[in-house]
């Protein structure tokens, strides 16, 4: 048995695992929970992040407009399933050089102290990692970009590692990145980031081909008594284009760039109509995970075909046992 280190969340969205299912993650039966036209001018709502907030839930949502501009919007829910999303995008206060908008997409959110920190892919002469915070999901403050272009999928840890804030990211390039590995970086002040460490990369050959083209961190790492549980995305390049699936790894608690375990099998991939058909077919892209320390339950929010938002469920023991049953031996 493994234990999540964190808070109780008695109202975590949940459905029990279907009887006879031979998989560690299962879908919410009423998916997708957020349709593409959730607000008046949205073309799609996907790759979004949620956190517990004031007895319910708040989130930051990627809503691409009908002109297909990419921006992030605040939203709220009582149950984590039915969402009301603001019709206007988030406006950040801060240095006008940094708050100048090119595009914003694929947010992650984590609470540290009394602040909810937001990471997103920020357009600043190319994609980089934006950092901001809010205390109420009404007023938002933007800090300095974490890195030079080009970088995507910045995900902060939910507490300091030693004396430093810590982040996982995936350095990229100017285009639709044909490569990608996960790196770890730290900061004393959320302004200056360094001490970069390689965490893990793609897998050549057929040992784990679903993650052969690129990988990137997904939801905020989940602290357990055995290490940081990392749900991430992996990509294979097929004759029909990229296919995005979810994987799981376990990182060392004190030195999170050290991989203790990693599954060679994916834990969820595109199978349903809403995952296989949309603006970008064949995508399951995780960006958020709610956890309940009492039960070990995990609720995963993920983008489906770059069009709608889905919800899936698992437990800490399901994921730990799956890594043990299907280990990626060479990378562990």
């Amino acid at each position: 048995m493994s234990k999540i280190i964190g808070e109780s969340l008695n109202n975590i969205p949940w459905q029990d695992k279907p009887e006879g299912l031979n998989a560690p993650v299962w879908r919410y039966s009423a998916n997708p929970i957020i349709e593409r036209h959730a607000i008046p001018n949205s073309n799609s709502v996907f790759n979004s992040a949620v956190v517990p907030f004031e007895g319910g839930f708040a989130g930051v949502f990627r809503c691409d407009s009908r002109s297909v501009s990419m921006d992030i919007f605040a939203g709220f829910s009582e149950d984590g399933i039915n969402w009301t999303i603001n019709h206007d995008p988030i406006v950040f206060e801060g240095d006008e050089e940094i708050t100048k908008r090119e595009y914003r997409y694929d947010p992650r959110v984590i609470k540290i102290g009394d602040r909810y920190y937001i990471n997103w892919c920020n357009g600043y002469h190319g994609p980089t990692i934006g950092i901001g915070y809010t205390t109420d999901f009404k007023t938002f403050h933007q800090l300095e970009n974490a890195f030079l272009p080009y970088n995507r999928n910045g995900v902060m840890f939910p507490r300091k590692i030693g004396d430093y804030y810590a982040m996982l990211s995936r350095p990229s390039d100017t285009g639709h990145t044909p490569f990608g590995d996960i790196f770890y970086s730290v900061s004393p002040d959320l302004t200056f980031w360094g001490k970069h460490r390689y965490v893990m990369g793609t897998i050549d050959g057929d040992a784990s081909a679903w993650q052969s083209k690129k990988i990137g961190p997904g939801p905020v790492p989940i602290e357990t008594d055995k290490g940081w549980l990392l749900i991430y995305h992996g990509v294979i390049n097929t004759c029909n284009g990229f296919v995005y699936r979810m994987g799981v790894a376990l990182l060392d608690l004190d030195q999170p760039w050290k991989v203790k375990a990693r599954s060679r099998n994916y834990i969820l991939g595109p199978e349903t109509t809403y995952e296989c058909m949309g603006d970008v077919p064949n995508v399951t892209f995780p960006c958020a995970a709610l956890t309940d320390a009492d039960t070990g339950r995990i609720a995963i929010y993920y983008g489906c075909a770059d069009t709608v938002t889905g919800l899936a469920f698992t437990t800490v023991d399901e994921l730990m046992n799956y890594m043990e049953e299907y280990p990626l031996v060479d990378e562990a």
Side-chain angles (χ1 to χ4, degrees):
M1 298 289 288
S2 302
K3 181 175 178 58
I4 292 174
I5 308 301
E7 297 182 356
S8 302
L9 187 62
N10 296 328
N11 61 339
I12 188 173
W14 186 253
Q15 279 187 339
D16 288 333
K17 186 175 183 177
E19 187 175 352
L21 179 68
N22 184 29
V25 176
W26 54 98
R27 296 166 178 82
Y28 179 51
S29 61
N31 271 349
I33 61 167
I34 304 176
E35 298 285 355
R36 67 185 306 163
H37 300 310
I39 61 176
N41 194 38
S42 63
N43 166 77
S44 48
V45 184
F46 61 106
N47 295 3
S48 305
V50 304
V51 288
F53 179 71
E54 293 185 349
F57 304 90
V60 178
F61 296 86
R62 173 176 177 172
C63 300
D64 290 7
S65 73
R66 296 197 181 194
S67 60
V68 196
S69 62
M70 299 174 287
D71 218 329
I72 55 178
F73 296 66
F76 303 90
S77 173
E78 293 184 359
D79 58 9
I81 296 172
N82 299 284
W83 288 88
T84 300
I85 301 174
N86 293 348
H87 293 182
D88 297 313
I90 290 170
V91 176
F92 285 95
E93 299 180 355
D95 185 330
E96 63 180 11
E97 175 66 26
I98 300 301
T99 59
K100 190 184 304 179
R101 179 191 168 276
E102 288 184 28
Y103 49 79
R104 302 185 179 110
Y105 62 83
D106 295 358
R108 276 75 160 180
V109 180
I110 188 60
K111 186 180 183 183
I112 302 178
D114 63 350
R115 292 181 175 183
Y116 297 86
Y117 287 98
I118 308 159
N119 304 130
W120 69 93
C121 185
N122 189 45
Y124 183 76
H125 304 276
T128 184
I129 306 303
I131 305 177
Y133 70 88
T134 182
T135 58
D136 57 9
F137 288 90
K138 296 176 182 177
T139 302
F140 294 83
H141 307 270
Q142 188 167 345
L143 307 176
E144 295 290 327
N145 292 317
F147 307 114
L148 293 169
Y150 304 92
N151 203 307
R152 291 176 169 87
N153 297 296
V155 183
M156 285 175 57
F157 283 73
R159 63 168 175 83
K160 288 185 176 181
I161 309 296
D163 296 328
Y164 297 99
Y165 297 97
M167 181 188 294
L168 298 172
S169 68
R170 189 197 76 197
S172 64
D173 63 8
T174 59
H176 189 49
T177 316
F179 64 89
D181 297 330
I182 297 175
F183 283 78
Y184 173 85
S185 305
V186 298
S187 172
D189 56 6
L190 294 174
T191 297
F192 298 99
W193 292 85
K195 293 189 175 181
H196 312 294
R197 298 289 185 270
Y198 175 85
V199 179
M200 62 187 192
T202 56
I203 304 300
D204 294 330
D206 68 353
S208 189
W210 67 271
Q211 51 186 328
S212 58
K213 180 56 63 173
K214 55 183 175 178
I215 63 172
V220 171
I222 299 167
E223 187 172 5
T224 77
D225 58 344
K226 296 181 179 178
W228 294 102
L229 194 62
L230 177 66
I231 299 169
Y232 65 98
H233 67 264
V235 183
I236 185 174
N237 193 13
T238 74
C239 60
N240 196 39
F242 290 157
V243 179
Y244 284 74
R245 296 181 173 95
M246 299 184 205
V248 62
L250 186 68
L251 310 181
D252 185 82
L253 275 179
D254 300 318
Q255 297 177 307
W257 59 91
K258 295 184 177 181
V259 180
K260 299 178 65 175
R262 182 176 174 184
S263 173
R264 72 174 183 265
N265 286 6
Y266 63 83
I267 59 173
L268 188 77
E271 295 180 10
T272 67
T273 300
Y274 57 85
E275 295 165 348
C276 295
M277 297 179 63
D279 284 1
V280 181
N282 303 319
V283 176
T284 51
F285 191 94
C287 274
L290 299 173
T291 62
D292 176 33
D294 292 343
T295 61
R297 292 174 173 177
I298 302 171
I300 304 168
Y301 292 80
Y302 67 105
C304 309
D306 279 16
T307 304
V308 298
T309 301
L311 178 62
F313 307 105
T314 187
T315 68
V316 62
D317 284 332
E318 287 271 3
L319 296 181
M320 293 290 192
N321 292 339
Y322 203 69
M323 281 189 287
E324 183 175 351
E325 184 176 1
Y326 299 100
L328 187 60
V329 177
D330 291 342
E331 287 289 309

